[in-house]
Amino acid sequence: FIHDGEAGVFVEQPLRGGGTWPRTGDRVLVKGFTGRGLFAPVIKGEGDAAPQIDITGGGSLPEPRSVDGKELGTPSLDCDWVTVEAQVREVLMNDGDVVFECQAGPCEFHALLEGPLPPESVPWDLAESRVVIRGVAATIFNAGRQMTRRFLRVNSLDDVRPLDRDAGKSAPSLVRADELFRVNGAGPQDLVRVRGVAMLSLPGRGLFLRPDGGGLWVQTAQPLDARPGGMI
């Protein structure tokens, strides 16, 4: 992804690669052709060749454009360099990549940091926190070239910056397992706590927990030393 100060665009790299490939922050001069792309226009080389890329210097990344959740959900934002404030709902790992499931206003999206990254370096505590995320606006789309979901590609964990985690926060309610299934119980947007005995742990996936009022499957990619019989 390159950015000229006003807009961004994707530069295709053939499977066999090109002679020169820049690193994040390099200033480049790209010579190629406009391609149709799978979603939005791209820059490509002639035939099966790579576009010509000359690295003219290095430096820092430009200031990203600040957007809100409504803007983030617009298809035209594809390939732009942006920053957005969001709520992290869940932190996941997928084949060594780190995924932050987020929401900014009406826009549900995820931020992707490609790994591999060791589980112990993942900021699991960012779940249910407000953050500012900096990244390239990427797009998930269908066969009709219609956008189905937004996601952000980030360069490093430094691009996901936590805000004040404790401001105005109180401890979530401690609930029984059977209270989760009642009409007047906690809903899908409510943060709760449960306490119980670990029955079976499946590392990287989750654990079976036996709290008061029933049993629960707790889904988490976080590595836990949860031994059967231990209190969680």
Side-chain angles (χ1 to χ4, degrees), residues 57-167:
S60 59
L61 290 165
E63 283 297 315
R65 182 158 68 94
S66 180
V67 298
D68 58 20
K70 186 175 181 180
E71 282 183 283
L72 189 64
T74 58
S76 61
L77 202 69
D78 186 70
C79 295
D80 212 340
W81 176 238
V82 300
T83 181
V84 63
E85 183 177 329
Q87 179 82 8
V88 178
R89 297 298 187 194
E90 193 172 1
V91 181
L92 307 167
M93 286 201 77
N94 182 22
D95 293 331
D97 300 337
V98 182
V99 180
F100 301 91
E101 287 288 348
C102 304
Q103 179 143 11
C107 183
E108 293 183 354
F109 69 100
H110 67 270
L112 172 66
L113 172 60
E114 292 192 0
L117 205 68
E120 58 270 17
S121 66
V122 176
W124 303 103
D125 59 338
L126 285 183
E128 298 299 336
S129 294
R130 291 205 67 79
V131 297
V132 174
I133 304 177
R134 180 181 74 164
V136 174
T139 306
I140 298 174
F141 48 88
N142 60 23
R145 303 180 75 194
Q146 298 167 314
M147 175 177 165
T148 58
R149 199 172 198 256
R150 169 70 72 222
F151 74 103
L152 295 184
R153 289 186 175 273
V154 301
N155 287 302
S156 72
L157 290 175
D158 292 336
D159 288 325
V160 184
R161 180 172 58 85
L163 298 174
D164 187 355
R165 302 178 189 177
D166 300 322

